[in-house]
Amino acid sequence: MQLDFKQIFTAFMVLFAVIDIIGNIPIIIDLRKKVGHIQSEKASIIAGVIMIIFLFVGKSLLNLIGIDVNSFAVAGAFVIFFIALEMVLGITLYKDEEHNALTASVFPLAFPLMAGPGSLTTLLSLRAEFEIENIIVAVICNVIFIYIVLKTSAKIERILGTNGIKIIRKVFGVILLAIAVKLFAHNIKELLA
């Protein structure tokens, strides 16, 4: 096992942009107002476990239904592209649902906000390019960051303000667009080779 800092950093940044925990601060604050206390530890750990399990089991599931990782990565590039468009254009593609205090830490925080379709697709896309141990380290680093943001979301909102959060969301959206194009180009080349 050999850790590659460049791969870890790239995987971390890709996942960070897809999970968009900073961009989700307004949703987290709104959820806290609706249900009261959110268990930051529980939400973070569950999100991390879901992502790591999918990292290992996702490829087997794809093989079971006859899809290779490069094809899934190309499809994932489209999903990431639309997530990025959502961030840049400020539109919402998901529907808000009712939540209670018992389930809010797991749903919608751990799944689908943090370990949702975008991050799971991204994990398999990253697996097509990076070593698995580097991706796991990147997931763990993101889980730690998620925990910190969940614990300090009210302070972050006060520091950044509404406009600051919007700017950060748009910047990460543009980065995500570039990542989606790169994933698409790399994996479509592998498919056509």
Side-chain angles (χ1 to χ4, degrees):
M1 181 173 95
Q2 190 173 11
L3 296 178
D4 180 343
F5 180 75
K6 185 179 178 192
Q7 283 192 11
I8 292 169
F9 182 74
T10 304
F12 171 81
M13 289 306 294
V14 170
L15 284 170
F16 184 78
V18 173
I19 294 169
D20 187 30
I21 193 66
I22 301 294
N24 284 324
I25 287 175
I27 297 168
I28 295 164
I29 291 166
D30 186 51
L31 195 59
R32 277 208 169 129
K33 287 177 187 170
K34 286 180 186 173
V35 300
H37 178 69
I38 290 174
Q39 296 173 332
S40 304
E41 300 88 356
K42 185 177 181 181
S44 304
I45 290 170
I46 289 172
V49 168
I50 289 171
M51 287 189 276
I52 290 172
I53 287 173
F54 194 79
L55 183 62
F56 287 100
V57 180
K59 189 173 181 181
S60 301
L61 286 172
L62 291 177
N63 289 339
L64 187 66
I65 56 176
I67 300 172
D68 62 276
V69 174
N70 293 111
S71 298
F72 192 79
V74 168
F78 283 112
V79 173
I80 295 167
F81 180 80
F82 288 116
I83 291 170
L85 282 181
E86 180 181 85
M87 291 167 69
V88 172
L89 300 176
I91 57 174
T92 303
L93 299 174
Y94 67 90
K95 184 177 97 175
D96 287 332
E97 296 177 4
E98 291 297 315
H99 311 288
N100 62 49
L102 296 173
T103 61
S105 297
V106 177
F107 184 86
L109 277 184
F111 181 85
L113 281 180
M114 291 178 265
S119 55
L120 298 180
T121 303
T122 301
L123 284 169
L124 288 188
S125 300
L126 290 171
R127 189 167 175 174
E129 279 189 68
F130 300 138
E131 298 298 323
I132 199 156
E133 62 268 13
N134 296 322
I135 300 170
I136 291 171
V137 172
V139 168
I140 292 168
C141 291
N142 267 288
V143 168
I144 292 167
F145 196 83
I146 287 166
Y147 172 75
I148 292 167
V149 170
L150 288 176
K151 277 292 191 195
T152 61
S153 58
K155 289 179 186 174
I156 292 171
E157 183 193 31
R158 282 194 302 270
I159 292 168
L160 294 177
T162 307
N163 290 332
I165 291 171
K166 285 180 185 175
I167 290 167
I168 289 172
R169 187 173 173 91
K170 295 210 184 301
V171 167
F172 276 103
V174 172
I175 291 169
L176 208 52
L177 277 172
I179 290 165
V181 170
K182 182 181 181 237
L183 281 172
F184 178 82
H186 174 78
N187 287 290
I188 201 77
K189 191 170 28 173
E190 294 291 322
L191 283 173
L192 298 175

